[in-house]
Amino acid sequence: QVMPVLAKELESQENGEQLATCTRALRQAMVHGADNAALVKEAQPLVEGCFGSALGSDDHEVLRAALDSLKTLALQSPGYVQAVAPVLVARLCKVTERKRERKVKFGPFTHIVDDEEPVRFIAYECLKALYRFVPAGAVLETLLDRLIAGLADGHNNALLCFSAFCDVCSSPSSSVLLEKVEPAVAALEKHLVRELSKNAVKQDVDRHQELVAATLRAVRVLAQVHGVDRNASFQVFMRETVQSGVHKAAYEALL
């Protein structure tokens, strides 16, 4: 009885704080009712209608409440999201495109801060949890495009995208990668050929090494996808960048 009441409140409520509170309350009600198969089936439209529609919100608190809710349901109560996963994934891919940069001064230095980066991180977490419910086709290809683009995102986001990319490579849907080898190779290669300045601080060095290690793991998993080894771009990448030079020993240690 609680879910329809909360859903109605979400439809009529305009206050961002109240919307976020109702969204979290609806999530909790769903998690508690996850053992009731009839209730789960009945509530599936609410997932798309309430959480899915909130993914387009400009209110960060509402958006994060919806993202957190979808992540929780995908991991703890997947029955709610399986049937509507393709629709949710398509909307989540839009969230990963959000950017809002501003300049911030720290003493004599000016840094670029992206206020949407934490939002994209949760969206990537949702994609990582939901991809297994998406059949091969246009939506899964779009998801993969966003993960490949995410390899160039901020440090934490990039590491998460590497992890999700490896998951897709190891999944029954891995054949979708055969159409994405060129952009994947281009994204992976950037991390392996990037050189830090001589004045790089320890934090930058550590982060760079983390990304290189994640890249080599992704290359190893990608190489195991049936048919990828016949791609000319991948062959050149492996021969000239991975299996020779500074990364050779580290890659061979993964074999």
Side-chain angles (χ1 to χ4, degrees), residues 176-249:
V176 71
L177 283 151
L178 297 178
E179 301 296 323
K180 307 291 181 182
V181 176
E182 283 79 9
V185 164
L188 294 168
E189 189 171 29
K190 284 180 181 178
H191 287 292
L192 296 184
V193 301
R194 180 182 172 226
E195 294 182 2
L196 293 178
S197 69
K198 293 180 181 178
N199 299 323
V201 298
K202 185 178 183 302
Q203 183 186 40
D204 290 338
V205 173
D206 290 343
R207 288 187 167 195
H208 176 65
Q209 290 175 344
E210 268 190 300
L211 288 171
V212 168
T215 302
L216 292 175
R217 287 193 296 271
V219 172
R220 174 58 181 153
V221 179
L222 178 61
Q224 294 176 308
V225 175
H226 181 69
V228 167
D229 58 341
R230 294 194 291 270
N231 181 279
S233 297
F234 185 76
Q235 291 173 355
V236 172
F237 170 60
M238 292 297 291
R239 184 173 63 250
E240 298 182 1
T241 305
V242 179
Q243 295 174 326
S244 61
V246 296
H247 302 299
K248 180 180 179 181

Side-chain angles (χ1 to χ4, degrees), residues 38-194:
L39 181 63
V40 169
K41 187 174 182 180
E42 184 180 332
Q44 283 177 351
L46 297 180
V47 175
E48 180 183 347
C50 297
F51 300 143
S53 61
L55 295 179
S57 176
D58 290 325
D59 188 309
H60 265 204
E61 190 170 356
V62 174
L63 179 57
R64 294 191 68 150
L67 289 168
D68 284 333
S69 297
L70 288 176
K71 182 180 72 173
T72 298
L73 293 176
L75 294 174
Q76 296 182 17
S77 311
Y80 287 108
V81 298
Q82 287 180 4
V84 294
V87 175
L88 296 174
V89 164
R91 293 179 183 176
L92 286 164
C93 286
K94 292 289 185 183
V95 177
T96 66
E97 296 175 4
R98 293 172 65 124
K99 238 178 188 183
R100 187 168 61 193
E101 295 181 338
R102 57 189 172 90
K103 292 181 179 180
V104 178
K105 282 199 170 185
F106 292 99
F109 304 104
T110 299
H111 295 271
I112 302 296
V113 176
D114 185 352
D115 293 326
E116 300 285 359
E117 190 170 323
V119 170
R120 293 198 303 275
F121 183 85
I122 310 174
Y124 287 130
E125 284 187 311
C126 290
L127 290 178
K128 180 175 166 62
L130 285 168
Y131 84 90
R132 64 189 189 275
F133 304 128
V134 179
V139 174
L140 188 59
E141 290 180 17
T142 301
L143 182 154
L144 192 54
D145 285 338
R146 295 312 306 156
L147 292 181
I148 291 172
L151 300 180
D153 205 328
H155 182 76
N156 291 333
N157 288 8
L159 289 177
L160 180 56
C161 286
F162 272 115
S163 176
F165 178 81
C166 289
D167 287 348
V168 177
C169 288
S170 304
S171 75
S173 301
S174 61
S175 60
V176 71
L177 283 151
L178 297 178
E179 301 296 323
K180 307 291 181 182
V181 176
E182 283 79 9
V185 164
L188 294 168
E189 189 171 29
K190 284 180 181 178
H191 287 292
L192 296 184
V193 301
R194 180 182 172 226

